[in-house]
Amino acid sequence: MKSSMGMADSASWYCATALLALILLGSIRESSLADNKPEAAFRGNQLLDRPCDEIYVVGEGETLHTISDKCGDPFIVERNPHIHDPDDVFPGLVIKIISSNTRR
């Protein structure tokens, strides 16, 4: 009985050590990925200054006004007849963008 308890303790320590190693490796990998990109371009996990593609998916907290400013397209409503109410924009809504900005 005593040897099975010792074996269980060893297995527990092995699992705890393996879990700690995985957490540390994940942390190191995440920090090295963040070091390769400019800090100013990120807020949390979202890119703030990402280029606007022709097909744009609305993100959390975005409005047509903020998207228009970011992408340089003042005619979003006119180009997207499926938007009946400009105030009813939600995350996941797909819209067409034709950017007049040259900062891609």
Side-chain angles (χ1 to χ4, degrees), residues 57-78:
V57 180
V58 176
E60 185 80 29
E62 290 184 311
T63 65
L64 290 181
H65 181 72
T66 60
I67 295 168
S68 175
D69 286 347
K70 178 167 69 172
C71 298
D73 185 359
F75 303 107
I76 293 175
V77 175
E78 289 82 356

Side-chain angles (χ1 to χ4, degrees), residues 47-63:
L47 282 171
L48 292 177
D49 195 23
R50 67 179 181 221
C52 299
D53 295 323
E54 186 175 341
I55 302 299
Y56 187 89
V57 180
V58 176
E60 185 80 29
E62 290 184 311
T63 65

Side-chain angles (χ1 to χ4, degrees), residues 74-91:
F75 303 107
I76 293 175
V77 175
E78 289 82 356
R79 292 190 178 108
N80 294 278
H82 62 282
I83 299 176
H84 301 292
D85 182 4
D87 295 326
D88 189 25
V89 177
F90 51 90

Side-chain angles (χ1 to χ4, degrees), residues 1 5 10 29 45 55 66 80 101 103:
M1 181 81 175
M5 287 294 280
S10 295
R29 181 174 177 221
N45 288 333
I55 302 299
T66 60
N80 294 278
N101 286 354
R103 63 174 182 133

